[in-house]
Amino acid sequence: MTSSKIFSNTSIIRASYANDSDVTLAQFRIETNDIDVSKVAPGDIILRNLYLSLDPYVRFTLNETGGDTPASWRLLNVPFYGLGISEIIASGEAVATKYPVGALVSGNVGYEQYTRISGLDDPKTQTDLRILPAHARDETKGVPLSYYISALGMPGLTAYAGLKVLDVKPGKIIFVGSAAGGVGQLVGQLAKQQGLRVIGSAGSDEKAAYLIEKQQFDGAFNYKTEDAREALTRLAPNGIDYFYDTVGGAILDLVLEIINEHGKILSIGMISQENGKEPYPIRNLNAIARKAVTIYGFIYWHHLQYFQNGELDTTIRSLLEQGKINYREEVFNGIETAPQHFINMLSGKYAGKVIIKIADL
């Protein structure tokens, strides 16, 4: 590029820390600056962001210290980062072959309209950018592009690989915590495809009903209005064999008490304690030895091979196209709406995967 091409770029800036308090709008600031996409260093690319995923893990970047979050993720006065879908609109000469203009990618991008990623010509630079397949553009078969940050993105990978880690067997019973969320809804439906009985918890009667009526769950309950012990006894009188845990805290403690011998638990997060909540003291850890229970920790980037070899896309996209899986998203328009929707997402106000649409393809 030789001529100047300047675009207005609205970003969501980390303005302050929440630490042990609930997240409020005070933690966010909206800024608009110019970005010149004609100025691209050899190792740079510039992305036009199309969709942005709102995920609970970003809450950790609002803690000044602590946890496993790198300090660079917690800097003030810079844009938030999260998983997004983008189009490459400029690419430096050293990386243009690998990241060609016009390609669609998914990976961590700024909470903003345009994101510049630098240093991609340096072998030491780590990036999670994933070039999407050409058919990602084709929405005519009922698979929206946004699914590449939901059912075909990190949530999909977490569900798919997590069930592989649990090594689930037909005829067993799996309980899915936060089952109406971006990961849980897919876990339940994939487990049904594999011959399991599936029960889940959700934060409203509407969400619980949707799981049963639209997403193949054998049973579900509203954890806000029904006692979890009574619900699990009613829905799984013979106990549960697997617990896909996104919640942690009191429900994990209860499951340890009632899980069957040789039960397995996959811990992918503890959303019950991710918004300034005190750690919950688990009392039933003795069940691990007494019942020979296995607990697995799970981080999605340990399983990226399912992206790289195309297995996730082939398997789940086929189920989506055939209507064998019903995936629920909540899509909101405009980058400037991200702060309030992020807060609402943390409080459980939405059903399904929460996504911000920034621009049309």
Side-chain angles (χ1 to χ4, degrees), residues 244-305:
Y244 198 105
D245 185 20
T246 64
V247 180
I251 192 68
L252 172 59
D253 210 17
L254 172 61
V255 168
L256 282 168
E257 182 182 335
I258 66 174
I259 196 169
N260 292 333
E261 274 197 46
H262 303 290
K264 296 180 181 181
I265 296 171
L266 188 79
S267 177
I268 73 162
M270 295 193 173
I271 195 171
S272 67
Q273 297 168 73
E274 287 181 0
N275 197 13
K277 303 297 188 295
E278 287 291 323
Y280 184 92
I282 302 295
R283 299 176 177 87
N284 289 312
L285 290 176
N286 63 329
I288 298 173
R290 181 165 48 86
K291 300 182 187 180
V293 172
T294 303
I295 300 179
Y296 301 92
F298 183 93
I299 301 175
Y300 84 95
W301 60 74
H302 292 166
H303 304 273
L304 295 178
Q305 71 269 22

Side-chain angles (χ1 to χ4, degrees), residues 111 117 195 197 287:
Y111 278 30
I117 299 179
R197 175 175 169 81

Side-chain angles (χ1 to χ4, degrees), residues 89-361:
I89 60 170
S91 187
E93 60 184 23
V95 294
T97 300
K98 185 175 182 179
Y99 298 105
V101 170
L104 296 180
V105 298
S106 66
N108 273 288
V109 300
Y111 278 30
E112 55 192 353
Q113 292 172 293
Y114 299 91
T115 296
R116 183 189 299 269
I117 299 179
S118 299
L120 293 174
D121 55 341
D122 184 343
K124 296 180 182 178
T125 298
Q126 295 184 350
T127 179
D128 64 349
L129 284 179
R130 166 191 174 204
I131 301 289
L132 299 184
H135 61 240
R137 293 176 176 271
D138 181 8
E139 299 181 311
T140 62
K141 296 182 179 179
V143 181
L145 177 59
S146 58
Y147 277 11
Y148 281 88
I149 46 170
S150 60
L152 296 170
M154 183 269 284
L157 176 64
T158 302
Y160 184 78
L163 288 172
K164 284 184 173 290
V165 171
L166 282 174
D167 190 24
V168 298
K169 304 299 182 185
K172 300 288 189 178
I173 297 178
I174 187 169
F175 170 44
V176 185
S178 190
V183 174
Q185 60 175 307
L186 195 55
V187 170
Q189 293 178 85
L190 290 175
K192 283 298 292 183
Q193 294 288 324
Q194 297 175 49
L196 281 80
R197 175 175 169 81
V198 180
I199 58 177
S201 63
S204 73
D205 291 343
E206 186 276 335
K207 292 177 184 178
Y210 193 92
L211 290 171
I212 296 169
E213 295 168 6
K214 302 291 187 180
Q215 295 185 316
Q216 308 171 41
F217 279 64
D218 295 290
F221 66 94
N222 179 354
Y223 68 85
K224 292 183 178 179
T225 59
E226 186 171 0
D227 179 79
R229 182 188 301 274
E230 293 178 359
L232 290 173
T233 300
R234 172 174 58 84
L235 295 171
N238 296 319
I240 61 175
D241 302 298
Y242 308 108
F243 178 35
Y244 198 105
D245 185 20
T246 64
V247 180
I251 192 68
L252 172 59
D253 210 17
L254 172 61
V255 168
L256 282 168
E257 182 182 335
I258 66 174
I259 196 169
N260 292 333
E261 274 197 46
H262 303 290
K264 296 180 181 181
I265 296 171
L266 188 79
S267 177
I268 73 162
M270 295 193 173
I271 195 171
S272 67
Q273 297 168 73
E274 287 181 0
N275 197 13
K277 303 297 188 295
E278 287 291 323
Y280 184 92
I282 302 295
R283 299 176 177 87
N284 289 312
L285 290 176
N286 63 329
I288 298 173
R290 181 165 48 86
K291 300 182 187 180
V293 172
T294 303
I295 300 179
Y296 301 92
F298 183 93
I299 301 175
Y300 84 95
W301 60 74
H302 292 166
H303 304 273
L304 295 178
Q305 71 269 22
Y306 299 117
F307 278 158
Q308 295 158 356
N309 65 16
E311 183 176 335
L312 182 85
D313 191 81
T314 299
T315 303
I316 295 184
R317 187 177 176 104
S318 176
L319 292 171
L320 290 165
E321 289 179 346
Q322 297 175 61
K324 293 182 178 179
I325 285 178
N326 176 305
Y327 195 82
R328 194 176 190 184
E329 293 181 330
E330 294 255 18
V331 181
F332 302 97
N333 291 317
I335 186 62
E336 69 281 353
T337 70
Q340 186 61 63
H341 291 308
F342 183 84
I343 293 168
N344 293 349
M345 177 269 301
L346 286 178
S347 65
K349 289 187 178 180
Y350 300 133
K353 187 75 193 72
V354 184
I355 291 174
I356 301 297
K357 183 178 181 180
I358 301 174
D360 291 316
L361 181 61

